[in-house]
Amino acid sequence: MMVEYSSPNTNKPLHLGHVRNNLLGYSIAKIQEANGWKVIKTNIVNDRGIHICKSMLAWLKFGQGETPESSGKAQIKQLMAQGMDEDTAKREAPLMKEAQAMLLKWEQGDPEVRALWEKMNNWVYAGFDETYRRLGVAFDKIYYESNTYLEGKKEVERGLREGIFYRRADNSVWADLTGDGLDEKLLLRQDGTSVYMTQDIGTAKLRFKDYPIDKMVYVVGNEQEYHFKVLSLLLDKLGFPFGKELVHFSYGMVELPNGKMKSREGTVVDADDLMDAMVRDAKEIARDKVNTLPDITEAEADEIARKVGMGALKYFILKVDPRKNMLFNRDLDISTSRDLEEKELTLIQRLTEYPAAVRQAGEDFSPAQIAAYAYNVACDFNSFYHDYSILNEEDPAKRSLRIVLSDCVARVIGSAMSLLGIEVRH
């Protein structure tokens, strides 16, 4: 099984939405491995396209402060004030035209444009690697759109020759999917440059060529459900046997208390800032419990704070049913209390459910089920520990049983946490 997650743009920082995507993707991969799958974890980096050229243009023209987003909007508003509709204004604004011209030069291999593109992307990749390291996620293979879009263009051109697609009068290439209950889909712009769909066709082809995949899973937000319906259909029409078998693991968006995150409005939560805050909060809380571990060094305290902060972040995100939108609030409550009878038997029964919980989480692609199971084990053990003595139990048989039971709880919780990508202290 191949699991794709992350899929960042090199013109944007990783944010809270990417955090949920990465944690879900990595956890799904771990859960499927626990169910016997050989999993290839992949990432597709969107490192080319008009959005990248806008960033490059921004750096060239407005590196000293002004951004192309603010200037571009001003030009668009000016054209709209002159009576032009918004879509036309976006195409005709001078900066947008210049960015489009830069994209054409990039696809033609212009050395100056390519050199600037490579320099700026390398800055971004170094930052991505650091963020991934801190999140505790990794990939077996990273694909780059700049390497896969040409393969996609070849397939689109083949589809054009075979009558699967058609060319409009303005030279753009389209797929007519109205007969399949969808709409018409742009595949190549009138100047010959490609779009996301073109790249995705090429990437899918290369992945099935590179690996003997039985199942391809895309971990992508539910806003892209239509995109993956179209991708599956286009691959099938192009004759790829895996076309209809692609799995879009569609998850809900992350919302803030004041509404949805929007990059253009600056209402996103930066991933690195969020991780810093979580670790800082964990360290602040630990200061109130300083007597609990009086002999640890400052470095050890920092490492504990890192694991606790990152563990809280991961658990908070992964405990939510992935198919639902989630409301993110940093005020996390990490406490348990439950009053149960027959505590030992309850705990033993709970532990025997772990293999079935892992199997079900794999079938449903749901890390939330592992998070819920681990929470229930912790609650059961908390109640057990509250009511029964362990090391001070006078009956040797009972003492041995409770020690073994405690060890099993630690092993199961540790295993469950590893499936969620959460580090635990042994």
Side-chain angles (χ1 to χ4, degrees), residues 237-380:
K237 287 181 179 295
L238 285 166
F240 293 108
F242 55 80
K244 289 185 177 179
E245 302 301 320
L246 303 182
V247 176
H248 174 207
F249 178 78
S250 175
Y251 64 90
M253 296 294 101
V254 181
E255 297 178 349
L256 304 177
N258 59 349
K260 186 178 177 181
M261 292 193 298
K262 296 181 180 179
S263 299
R264 291 185 177 88
E265 296 178 11
T267 57
V268 297
V269 177
D270 182 86
D272 294 292
D273 290 345
L274 174 61
M275 289 188 284
D276 288 340
M278 294 300 296
V279 174
R280 188 168 58 246
D281 289 351
K283 197 167 186 178
E284 287 293 323
I285 293 170
R287 285 190 182 136
D288 298 333
K289 305 178 182 298
V290 68
N291 294 327
T292 306
L293 299 169
D295 299 325
I296 64 172
T297 66
E298 185 68 21
E300 289 173 326
D302 288 344
E303 180 63 5
I304 291 173
R306 183 189 69 80
K307 289 183 177 180
V308 170
M310 291 303 300
L313 173 63
K314 292 178 180 183
Y315 185 83
F316 180 77
I317 287 177
L318 292 175
K319 74 176 183 178
V320 179
D321 183 342
R323 291 167 180 81
K324 296 179 180 178
N325 286 3
M326 68 170 290
L327 179 67
F328 182 81
N329 191 319
R330 267 184 46 213
D331 298 329
L332 308 181
D333 178 16
I334 314 169
S335 62
T336 64
S337 64
R338 232 158 86 174
D339 186 23
L340 299 174
E341 301 296 329
E342 301 179 352
K343 307 297 193 302
E344 291 173 328
L345 180 59
T346 298
L347 196 52
I348 291 169
Q349 288 175 332
R350 181 78 70 185
L351 293 175
T352 64
E353 296 168 359
Y354 183 52
V358 173
R359 186 165 57 252
Q360 192 63 50
E363 291 175 3
D364 296 343
F365 291 90
S366 180
Q369 293 180 20
I370 298 298
Y373 173 81
Y375 177 81
N376 289 332
V377 173
C379 287
D380 291 345

Side-chain angles (χ1 to χ4, degrees), residues 344 384 389-408:
E344 291 173 328
F384 161 83
S389 174
I390 300 177
L391 295 178
N392 294 326
E393 170 59 49
E394 294 181 358
D395 184 330
K398 287 185 177 180
R399 184 169 62 249
S400 295
L401 170 66
R402 291 173 186 172
I403 289 172
V404 170
L405 193 53
S406 299
D407 181 62
C408 289

Side-chain angles (χ1 to χ4, degrees), residues 47-60:
D47 64 339
R48 61 159 296 283
I50 190 63
H51 55 294
I52 306 297
C53 290
K54 288 178 182 177
S55 293
M56 292 162 62
L57 191 60
W59 192 81
L60 287 174

Side-chain angles (χ1 to χ4, degrees), residues 88-129:
T88 304
K90 285 180 178 179
R91 291 195 304 270
E92 297 301 320
L95 279 174
M96 302 305 113
K97 281 191 168 183
E98 197 167 348
Q100 191 66 43
M102 182 178 279
L103 174 60
L104 187 57
K105 285 184 178 181
W106 185 93
E107 292 208 4
Q108 293 171 344
D110 182 276
E112 290 187 10
V113 172
R114 285 291 182 123
L116 175 61
W117 167 79
E118 186 173 345
K119 176 168 66 174
M120 292 181 67
N121 276 351
N122 284 337
W123 295 340
V124 177
Y125 296 149
F128 282 174
D129 289 345

